[in-house]
Amino acid sequence: MWYPSIPHHNHTHYLPSLHLHHAPPIPMATFNLPPNPTPPPHHHHHNPHTLSLNRRSLLLLSATLPFLTPLTTSAAPPPPDPTVTDRVFLDFSICPSYFLNRTLGESDLSLCAEPEPLGRVVLGLYGNVVPITVANFKSMCSGSCGSTYRGTLVQKLRPGQFFVAGRQGRRDKGDVRPPVGLIRNTETVDSKAFRLEHSRPGVVSLCLAENDDDDELKLSPDYHNVEFLITTGPGPCPQLDSNNIVFGSVLEGLDVVRAIASIPTYIPGERIRQYNDLAEFLGDGRAKSARAIWNRPLKTLYISDCGVIKVAKPTLSPSLP
């Protein structure tokens, strides 16, 4: 049986039923073909309306892009403003009456007999960057919060890097009495508070990664972190960046900071370190107590006095040394 071939043109319309043997013959004159018919092009048919719509869409898109771009891009946060808004002072001294492992008793180190003064360090604080940290530090220097740095030991000294003071604990051991009247410091969990770097000697920061307070104190709902560090140089301390909050710098007394950095410290030998690591691995609580005296100054270095400096215009330019 013979089947007619059906043309594959998209524009051809077919009848519901096609019976070729009943169709009348079509006269040849109805075709009226030209003498030299041109073959149809072998490419897909283009819709002029579609092309025109695409052009209009591109023109509209190119015209609206300059107005859409500012809405999709976020502006960079402004840089921190390390302008000095407040000034405090710390007086450092050496007490020859006490030693490394000796209990200090109930007497205040600020009343140490025959102290050896090292000098005064004036600190400029960045109240525009971290106002809560600055306010708490000022309260500790003035003693208005029920505690103070006055008469407390410098606990740690890492040669060529920094020293740490303000550790909380027992007052009879030269530690800071836990403060009770401070503001809750929410800046310790704010990423914007960690943008300043420990780029030079004399940078002051709140200890977070370097904090050495007792774990029992940290678990208290009334705990306030007031332990701080000051970089001693000679170079920067990039390992402290993004881990501790920089809130000030030394304005006067950088020579006192260098004198503190020259004090010898207790550095354990390699065998002691290995024993300590093994004891910590076995869960011996004495390992942490033994590490408490590592990097401690071999002289009784303490803060003999501290306070807030009141000046008419405390603000200074951020261009500090």
Side-chain angles (χ1 to χ4, degrees), residues 175-223:
D175 295 338
V176 171
R177 183 182 295 108
V180 294
L182 293 181
I183 307 172
R184 179 65 59 186
N185 194 345
T186 57
E187 293 167 348
T188 58
V189 293
D190 187 358
S191 60
K192 294 184 295 184
F194 295 84
R195 290 184 292 174
L196 294 179
E197 299 177 348
H198 303 74
S199 57
R200 60 184 184 273
V203 173
V204 187
S205 64
L206 182 70
C207 291
L208 296 178
E210 307 298 328
N211 185 278
D212 196 31
D213 291 340
D214 293 334
D215 293 336
E216 296 180 359
L217 289 173
K218 294 179 180 180
L219 294 176
S220 172
D222 298 327
Y223 172 75

Side-chain angles (χ1 to χ4, degrees), residues 75-143:
D81 178 18
T83 301
V84 172
T85 58
D86 304 272
R87 300 184 192 183
V88 298
F89 71 90
L90 301 173
D91 290 343
F92 293 92
S93 300
I94 295 176
C95 183
S97 305
Y98 300 115
F99 302 94
L100 180 65
N101 297 320
R102 180 176 175 178
T103 301
L104 302 176
E106 295 298 331
S107 61
D108 195 336
L109 275 176
S110 61
L111 303 176
C112 176
E114 299 180 355
E116 300 176 3
L118 288 179
R120 171 168 294 188
V121 177
V122 177
L123 306 177
L125 310 181
Y126 306 149
N128 294 335
V129 180
V130 279
I132 299 178
T133 303
V134 168
N136 288 347
F137 188 76
K138 287 177 57 182
S139 298
M140 288 296 298
C141 291
S142 64

